[in-house]
Amino acid sequence: MRPIIEFCSSNMHHGTDRVMETLEANPDYDVIEYGCLGNCGECAYQPFAMLNGDVVLAESAEELLEELVRRIRITEELDKLLGG
């Protein structure tokens, strides 16, 4: 299953624009930017994105990228183990 990674344009001031650009370079990922994802509490205070519908939070944009990639790898490994 291709990971779907969603970003809120209102969160870009945390540096998530760079995270989004990095992930967009991978043709195996579906990266989508929305005007609002409805997570205003998180959005105002820290970098975040949604991965396959789950909120991913981090202290910095760099940590967000690392966490997204980590979770994508875990999902891919589970898919392989389950024969997907």
Side-chain angles (χ1 to χ4, degrees):
M1 174 175 120
R2 291 171 58 94
I4 300 170
I5 310 157
E6 300 166 288
F7 289 90
C8 178
S9 64
S10 298
N11 193 251
M12 298 300 173
H13 67 279
H14 288 292
T16 55
D17 55 332
R18 295 185 308 274
V19 175
M20 187 176 76
E21 290 170 6
T22 299
L23 295 170
E24 282 178 324
N26 187 325
D28 294 328
Y29 300 163
D30 289 328
V31 179
I32 306 164
E33 179 183 355
Y34 292 101
C36 180
L37 289 171
N39 294 67
C40 300
E42 291 90 359
C43 186
Y45 296 107
Q46 66 192 109
F48 90 99
M50 294 184 76
L51 175 61
N52 298 327
D54 295 325
V55 174
V56 179
L57 303 167
E59 294 296 318
S60 69
E62 293 78 16
E63 289 177 15
L64 179 62
L65 178 59
E66 290 172 9
E67 182 63 13
L68 288 166
V69 169
R70 185 185 77 78
R71 290 186 187 198
I72 290 168
R73 286 187 182 140
I74 289 171
T75 301
E76 290 172 344
E77 290 173 15
L78 286 173
D79 284 346
K80 286 179 188 174
L81 286 173
L82 298 173

